[in-house]
Amino acid sequence: MLSRIAESLFWIGRYLERADDTARILDVQMQVLIEDPGMDERTSCEQLLSVMGVEGYTGNPNRWMMLDLLAHNPDSPVSIAAAIGAARESSRRARETLSTDIWAAINTTWRGLSTARAMRPPDMFNWVRNRTAMISGIADSTMSRDDGWHFYMLGRSIERVDMTARLLSTAALASGPQVAWPTTLRACGAYESFIRAYRGIEADRQAAEFLLLDRWFPRSIVSSLAEAERALGNLAASGQRSGFSDEAQRLLGRARTELEYRPLADIVFDLPVEMERLQRSCAAASDAVSARYFAESEVHTWRGGVMI
Protein backbone atom coordinates (compact mmCIF):
# COMPACT_ATOMS: atom_id res chain seq x y z
CA MET A 1 0.00 0.00 0.00
CA LEU A 2 1.25 3.48 -0.82
CA SER A 3 2.44 5.30 2.29
CA ARG A 4 0.27 8.28 1.30
CA ILE A 5 -2.87 6.11 1.43
CA ALA A 6 -1.80 4.32 4.60
CA GLU A 7 -1.14 7.58 6.41
CA SER A 8 -4.47 9.04 5.33
CA LEU A 9 -6.40 5.99 6.58
CA PHE A 10 -4.50 6.03 9.87
CA TRP A 11 -5.44 9.69 10.44
CA ILE A 12 -9.04 9.21 9.34
CA GLY A 13 -9.40 6.71 12.19
CA ARG A 14 -7.77 9.08 14.66
CA TYR A 15 -9.68 12.20 13.69
CA LEU A 16 -13.11 10.54 13.67
CA GLU A 17 -12.43 8.99 17.08
CA ARG A 18 -11.24 12.38 18.37
CA ALA A 19 -14.42 14.11 17.23
CA ASP A 20 -16.58 11.38 18.80
CA ASP A 21 -14.73 11.37 22.13
CA THR A 22 -14.61 15.16 22.37
CA ALA A 23 -18.38 15.30 21.84
CA ARG A 24 -18.86 12.72 24.61
CA ILE A 25 -16.64 14.66 27.00
CA LEU A 26 -18.34 17.99 26.32
CA ASP A 27 -21.83 16.53 26.56
CA VAL A 28 -21.20 15.16 30.03
CA GLN A 29 -19.28 18.25 31.16
CA MET A 30 -22.13 20.54 30.18
CA GLN A 31 -24.66 18.31 31.94
CA VAL A 32 -22.64 18.37 35.16
CA LEU A 33 -22.30 22.16 35.07
CA ILE A 34 -26.07 22.46 34.72
CA GLU A 35 -27.02 19.80 37.27
CA ASP A 36 -24.49 20.78 39.96
CA PRO A 37 -24.84 24.53 40.63
CA GLY A 38 -22.28 24.29 43.42
CA MET A 39 -19.49 23.32 41.04
CA ASP A 40 -16.84 25.94 40.38
CA GLU A 41 -17.31 26.55 36.65
CA ARG A 42 -13.98 28.26 36.13
CA THR A 43 -11.99 25.49 37.82
CA SER A 44 -13.91 22.78 36.01
CA CYS A 45 -13.39 24.40 32.61
CA GLU A 46 -9.71 25.11 33.29
CA GLN A 47 -9.21 21.49 34.23
CA LEU A 48 -10.86 20.19 31.08
CA LEU A 49 -9.00 22.61 28.80
CA SER A 50 -5.73 21.57 30.40
CA VAL A 51 -6.44 17.87 29.96
CA MET A 52 -7.38 18.46 26.31
CA GLY A 53 -4.09 20.29 25.73
CA VAL A 54 -5.49 23.78 25.19
CA GLU A 55 -2.98 26.49 26.04
CA GLY A 56 -2.56 30.20 25.44
CA TYR A 57 -6.21 31.24 25.72
CA THR A 58 -7.09 34.62 27.21
CA GLY A 59 -9.79 35.49 29.71
CA ASN A 60 -11.48 33.49 32.43
CA PRO A 61 -12.54 30.04 31.24
CA ASN A 62 -16.28 29.37 31.20
CA ARG A 63 -18.63 27.01 29.43
CA TRP A 64 -18.92 29.26 26.36
CA MET A 65 -15.17 29.53 25.93
CA MET A 66 -14.92 25.79 26.41
CA LEU A 67 -17.54 25.20 23.70
CA ASP A 68 -15.75 27.54 21.30
CA LEU A 69 -12.30 26.01 21.79
CA LEU A 70 -13.37 22.36 21.93
CA ALA A 71 -16.38 22.26 19.61
CA HIS A 72 -17.04 25.13 17.20
CA ASN A 73 -13.79 26.89 16.34
CA PRO A 74 -12.11 25.29 13.28
CA ASP A 75 -8.91 27.19 14.08
CA SER A 76 -8.59 25.46 17.46
CA PRO A 77 -6.53 22.30 16.83
CA VAL A 78 -8.46 20.24 19.41
CA SER A 79 -12.00 21.18 18.37
CA ILE A 80 -14.63 18.90 16.90
CA ALA A 81 -14.87 21.12 13.82
CA ALA A 82 -11.11 20.87 13.23
CA ALA A 83 -11.12 17.07 13.66
CA ILE A 84 -13.97 16.58 11.17
CA GLY A 85 -12.32 18.96 8.71
CA ALA A 86 -9.04 17.08 8.98
CA ALA A 87 -10.81 13.72 8.57
CA ARG A 88 -12.44 15.03 5.40
CA GLU A 89 -9.11 16.24 4.00
CA SER A 90 -7.46 12.87 4.75
CA SER A 91 -10.42 11.13 3.07
CA ARG A 92 -10.01 13.29 -0.01
CA ARG A 93 -6.37 12.19 -0.29
CA ALA A 94 -7.35 8.52 0.04
CA ARG A 95 -10.41 8.84 -2.16
CA GLU A 96 -9.43 6.04 -4.55
CA THR A 97 -9.36 3.47 -1.76
CA LEU A 98 -12.50 4.51 0.14
CA SER A 99 -15.95 3.30 -0.78
CA THR A 100 -18.38 5.88 -2.13
CA ASP A 101 -20.50 5.41 1.00
CA ILE A 102 -17.64 6.27 3.38
CA TRP A 103 -16.58 9.32 1.37
CA ALA A 104 -20.18 10.56 1.11
CA ALA A 105 -20.75 10.12 4.86
CA ILE A 106 -17.57 12.00 5.84
CA ASN A 107 -18.12 14.76 3.29
CA THR A 108 -21.77 15.19 4.33
CA THR A 109 -20.70 15.41 7.98
CA TRP A 110 -18.17 18.12 7.14
CA ARG A 111 -20.74 20.07 5.12
CA GLY A 112 -23.23 19.79 7.97
CA LEU A 113 -20.94 21.50 10.48
CA SER A 114 -22.32 24.96 9.72
CA THR A 115 -25.83 23.73 10.55
CA ALA A 116 -24.62 21.86 13.63
CA ARG A 117 -23.02 25.00 15.08
CA ALA A 118 -26.48 26.61 15.26
CA MET A 119 -27.88 23.72 17.31
CA ARG A 120 -28.19 23.66 21.08
CA PRO A 121 -25.02 22.08 22.54
CA PRO A 122 -26.67 18.76 23.54
CA ASP A 123 -28.19 18.43 20.07
CA MET A 124 -24.86 19.15 18.40
CA PHE A 125 -23.04 16.58 20.53
CA ASN A 126 -25.68 13.99 19.74
CA TRP A 127 -25.39 14.84 16.04
CA VAL A 128 -21.60 14.38 16.11
CA ARG A 129 -21.86 11.05 17.91
CA ASN A 130 -24.51 9.79 15.52
CA ARG A 131 -22.54 10.85 12.44
CA THR A 132 -19.25 9.31 13.63
CA ALA A 133 -21.05 6.12 14.66
CA MET A 134 -22.63 5.93 11.22
CA ILE A 135 -19.27 6.40 9.49
CA SER A 136 -17.74 3.73 11.73
CA GLY A 137 -20.55 1.34 10.84
CA ILE A 138 -20.16 2.02 7.11
CA ALA A 139 -16.41 1.42 7.36
CA ASP A 140 -17.01 -1.83 9.21
CA SER A 141 -19.39 -3.10 6.53
CA THR A 142 -17.64 -1.86 3.37
CA MET A 143 -13.87 -1.99 3.99
CA SER A 144 -11.93 -5.12 3.10
CA ARG A 145 -9.87 -6.51 5.97
CA ASP A 146 -6.62 -5.63 4.23
CA ASP A 147 -3.81 -3.29 5.23
CA GLY A 148 -6.05 -0.25 4.78
CA TRP A 149 -8.44 -1.56 7.41
CA HIS A 150 -5.60 -2.30 9.80
CA PHE A 151 -4.19 1.22 9.47
CA TYR A 152 -7.67 2.65 10.09
CA MET A 153 -8.17 0.50 13.20
CA LEU A 154 -4.67 1.28 14.44
CA GLY A 155 -5.32 5.02 14.31
CA ARG A 156 -8.70 4.70 15.97
CA SER A 157 -7.37 2.50 18.78
CA ILE A 158 -4.39 4.73 19.59
CA GLU A 159 -6.64 7.79 19.71
CA ARG A 160 -9.12 5.98 21.96
CA VAL A 161 -6.37 5.10 24.44
CA ASP A 162 -5.17 8.70 24.49
CA MET A 163 -8.65 10.18 25.02
CA THR A 164 -9.61 7.67 27.72
CA ALA A 165 -6.37 8.45 29.54
CA ARG A 166 -7.27 12.15 29.46
CA LEU A 167 -10.69 11.39 30.90
CA LEU A 168 -9.22 9.33 33.72
CA SER A 169 -6.81 12.12 34.57
CA THR A 170 -9.72 14.55 34.80
CA ALA A 171 -11.65 12.23 37.11
CA ALA A 172 -8.65 11.68 39.38
CA LEU A 173 -8.02 15.43 39.71
CA ALA A 174 -11.66 16.36 40.33
CA SER A 175 -12.57 17.53 43.81
CA GLY A 176 -15.89 15.67 43.80
CA PRO A 177 -15.29 12.00 42.90
CA GLN A 178 -18.97 11.19 43.51
CA VAL A 179 -19.64 13.28 40.40
CA ALA A 180 -16.38 12.76 38.51
CA TRP A 181 -16.38 8.97 38.12
CA PRO A 182 -20.02 8.57 37.01
CA THR A 183 -19.36 11.46 34.63
CA THR A 184 -16.28 9.72 33.24
CA LEU A 185 -18.13 6.43 32.81
CA ARG A 186 -20.89 8.18 30.86
CA ALA A 187 -18.37 10.02 28.71
CA CYS A 188 -16.93 6.66 27.67
CA GLY A 189 -20.38 5.17 27.11
CA ALA A 190 -19.50 2.74 29.90
CA TYR A 191 -21.98 3.52 32.68
CA GLU A 192 -24.56 0.83 31.91
CA SER A 193 -21.91 -1.82 31.20
CA PHE A 194 -20.14 -0.92 34.44
CA ILE A 195 -23.34 -1.19 36.48
CA ARG A 196 -24.05 -4.64 35.03
CA ALA A 197 -20.48 -5.82 35.58
CA TYR A 198 -20.36 -4.68 39.23
CA ARG A 199 -23.98 -5.44 40.13
CA GLY A 200 -24.94 -1.82 40.73
CA ILE A 201 -22.00 -0.96 42.99
CA GLU A 202 -20.63 2.52 42.28
CA ALA A 203 -17.15 3.12 43.69
CA ASP A 204 -14.11 5.03 42.49
CA ARG A 205 -11.77 2.04 42.56
CA GLN A 206 -14.13 -0.18 40.59
CA ALA A 207 -14.77 2.56 38.01
CA ALA A 208 -11.03 3.06 37.50
CA GLU A 209 -10.50 -0.69 37.22
CA PHE A 210 -13.27 -1.03 34.63
CA LEU A 211 -12.01 1.77 32.38
CA LEU A 212 -8.39 0.72 32.74
CA LEU A 213 -8.42 -3.07 32.70
CA ASP A 214 -11.71 -4.56 31.51
CA ARG A 215 -10.88 -6.75 28.50
CA TRP A 216 -14.50 -7.07 27.36
CA PHE A 217 -15.37 -3.38 27.17
CA PRO A 218 -14.13 -1.97 23.82
CA ARG A 219 -13.36 1.51 25.18
CA SER A 220 -11.22 0.41 28.09
CA ILE A 221 -7.54 1.24 27.85
CA VAL A 222 -6.36 -2.38 27.91
CA SER A 223 -8.90 -3.43 25.27
CA SER A 224 -7.92 -0.53 22.98
CA LEU A 225 -4.21 -1.25 23.42
CA ALA A 226 -4.81 -4.90 22.54
CA GLU A 227 -6.74 -3.83 19.42
CA ALA A 228 -3.86 -1.59 18.36
CA GLU A 229 -1.40 -4.45 18.91
CA ARG A 230 -3.51 -6.77 16.76
CA ALA A 231 -3.57 -4.22 13.95
CA LEU A 232 0.21 -3.84 14.10
CA GLY A 233 0.65 -7.61 14.20
CA ASN A 234 -1.44 -7.98 11.06
CA LEU A 235 0.54 -5.25 9.32
CA ALA A 236 3.92 -6.75 10.26
CA ALA A 237 3.16 -10.44 9.64
CA SER A 238 6.90 -11.11 9.74
CA GLY A 239 6.87 -14.45 11.55
CA GLN A 240 9.71 -13.27 13.77
CA ARG A 241 10.63 -15.97 16.30
CA SER A 242 11.59 -13.65 19.15
CA GLY A 243 11.15 -10.04 20.19
CA PHE A 244 9.52 -7.31 18.12
CA SER A 245 11.04 -5.54 15.17
CA ASP A 246 8.15 -3.05 15.22
CA GLU A 247 8.93 -0.31 17.75
CA ALA A 248 5.29 0.78 17.95
CA GLN A 249 4.18 -2.76 18.79
CA ARG A 250 6.83 -3.00 21.50
CA LEU A 251 5.79 0.34 23.04
CA LEU A 252 2.07 -0.49 23.08
CA GLY A 253 2.67 -4.02 24.33
CA ARG A 254 4.81 -2.75 27.18
CA ALA A 255 2.18 -0.15 28.11
CA ARG A 256 -0.52 -2.83 28.19
CA THR A 257 1.46 -5.33 30.26
CA GLU A 258 2.51 -2.65 32.74
CA LEU A 259 -1.18 -1.93 33.34
CA GLU A 260 -2.35 -5.54 33.43
CA TYR A 261 0.34 -7.00 35.68
CA ARG A 262 0.83 -4.21 38.18
CA PRO A 263 -1.34 -4.02 41.30
CA LEU A 264 -4.30 -1.73 40.70
CA ALA A 265 -3.54 0.17 43.91
CA ASP A 266 -0.14 1.20 42.52
CA ILE A 267 -1.71 2.62 39.37
CA VAL A 268 -4.59 4.42 41.08
CA PHE A 269 -2.32 5.89 43.76
CA ASP A 270 -0.97 8.45 41.30
CA LEU A 271 -3.34 8.08 38.36
CA PRO A 272 -2.67 11.44 36.62
CA VAL A 273 1.06 10.65 36.41
CA GLU A 274 0.34 7.14 35.11
CA MET A 275 -2.05 8.47 32.48
CA GLU A 276 0.45 11.11 31.39
CA ARG A 277 3.01 8.34 30.94
CA LEU A 278 0.49 6.39 28.88
CA GLN A 279 -0.17 9.41 26.66
CA ARG A 280 3.57 9.72 26.06
CA SER A 281 3.66 6.04 25.07
CA CYS A 282 0.83 6.63 22.59
CA ALA A 283 2.65 9.63 21.11
CA ALA A 284 5.88 7.63 20.81
CA ALA A 285 4.02 4.72 19.20
CA SER A 286 2.35 7.07 16.72
CA ASP A 287 5.75 8.52 15.83
CA ALA A 288 7.14 4.99 15.39
CA VAL A 289 4.27 4.08 13.07
CA SER A 290 4.95 7.20 11.01
CA ALA A 291 8.68 6.47 10.83
CA ARG A 292 8.16 2.88 9.71
CA TYR A 293 5.19 3.09 7.37
CA PHE A 294 4.84 6.71 6.30
CA ALA A 295 8.47 7.78 5.86
CA GLU A 296 8.08 8.06 2.08
CA SER A 297 4.72 9.80 2.23
CA GLU A 298 4.53 13.31 0.85
CA VAL A 299 1.27 13.95 2.66
CA HIS A 300 1.50 16.58 5.36
CA THR A 301 -0.28 15.71 8.58
CA TRP A 302 -3.32 17.83 9.31
CA ARG A 303 -3.55 18.98 12.88
CA GLY A 304 -6.60 21.03 13.67
CA GLY A 305 -7.30 21.79 10.04
CA VAL A 306 -3.83 23.32 9.55
CA MET A 307 -1.43 21.55 7.21
CA ILE A 308 2.05 21.28 8.71
Side-chain angles (χ1 to χ4, degrees):
M1 173 172 285
L2 292 173
S3 57
R4 170 179 62 86
I5 302 298
E7 183 177 19
S8 295
L9 291 168
F10 175 81
W11 283 101
I12 289 170
R14 289 204 68 163
Y15 286 131
L16 290 174
E17 182 66 25
R18 186 176 303 174
D20 178 34
D21 290 341
T22 304
R24 290 172 181 272
I25 293 168
L26 285 172
D27 192 15
V28 175
Q29 184 78 1
M30 290 294 289
Q31 288 182 31
V32 171
L33 288 173
I34 293 170
E35 294 172 5
D36 186 0
M39 179 173 289
D40 186 335
E41 180 173 335
R42 176 177 177 176
T43 300
S44 178
C45 293
E46 277 183 344
Q47 195 172 76
L48 181 58
L49 292 173
S50 175
V51 167
M52 296 298 289
V54 179
E55 299 176 349
Y57 54 86
T58 57
N60 293 327
N62 54 44
R63 68 188 71 188
W64 309 116
M65 178 187 289
M66 180 180 69
L67 283 173
D68 179 63
L69 293 173
L70 298 182
H72 302 305
N73 190 346
D75 296 324
S76 173
V78 294
S79 72
I80 293 172
I84 292 175
R88 192 255 187 187
E89 177 62 21
S90 294
S91 300
R92 188 181 64 81
R93 294 179 178 275
R95 180 66 187 88
E96 63 267 33
T97 64
L98 294 177
S99 70
T100 300
D101 290 340
I102 295 177
W103 163 251
I106 294 175
N107 192 47
T108 301
T109 302
W110 175 73
R111 292 175 66 89
L113 279 173
S114 58
T115 303
R117 291 190 188 102
M119 298 177 183
R120 295 187 313 115
D123 294 335
M124 179 190 176
F125 304 146
N126 190 52
W127 178 83
V128 171
R129 292 173 63 175
N130 286 340
R131 294 298 304 183
T132 53
M134 184 186 72
I135 296 168
S136 179
I138 293 173
D140 183 70
S141 61
T142 63
M143 289 182 71
S144 298
R145 273 29 179 191
D146 54 11
D147 283 356
W149 170 258
H150 299 314
F151 278 116
Y152 169 79
M153 289 299 295
L154 176 61
R156 189 175 79 173
S157 299
I158 289 177
E159 187 68 25
R160 186 170 288 180
V161 171
D162 181 84
M163 294 295 281
T164 304
R166 293 173 190 271
L167 275 166
L168 289 170
S169 296
T170 303
L173 292 169
S175 58
Q178 70 280 2
V179 174
W181 283 109
T183 296
T184 304
L185 288 166
R186 289 190 176 94
C188 295
Y191 187 76
E192 290 77 12
S193 296
F194 169 77
I195 292 297
R196 288 197 299 272
Y198 287 89
R199 304 293 191 272
I201 299 174
E202 293 188 38
D204 300 349
R205 181 185 176 88
Q206 282 77 8
E209 180 180 39
F210 186 80
L211 292 175
L212 281 167
L213 303 175
D214 192 277
R215 298 186 183 94
W216 292 359
F217 183 67
R219 287 187 174 273
S220 78
I221 286 179
V222 161
S223 177
S224 298
L225 285 169
E227 186 67 47
E229 287 181 79
R230 281 192 292 272
L232 284 168
N234 289 326
L235 288 169
S238 61
Q240 187 170 332
R241 295 181 62 175
S242 63
F244 294 96
S245 59
D246 191 320
E247 178 68 8
Q249 194 171 7
R250 185 186 67 79
L251 289 166
L252 294 174
R254 186 173 66 182
R256 178 182 54 80
T257 53
E258 284 181 353
L259 288 174
E260 285 192 297
Y261 294 101
R262 285 176 60 194
L264 180 63
D266 291 353
I267 302 172
V268 174
F269 176 74
D270 201 356
L271 192 57
V273 172
E274 296 294 337
M275 293 302 97
E276 185 178 351
R277 182 180 302 153
L278 183 61
Q279 289 175 58
R280 288 198 298 268
S281 295
C282 287
S286 185
D287 290 342
V289 169
S290 297
R292 174 163 183 168
Y293 295 104
F294 312 147
E296 298 177 359
S297 174
E298 295 181 359
V299 176
H300 296 279
T301 300
W302 278 67
R303 297 185 185 276
V306 179
M307 187 175 285
I308 59 173

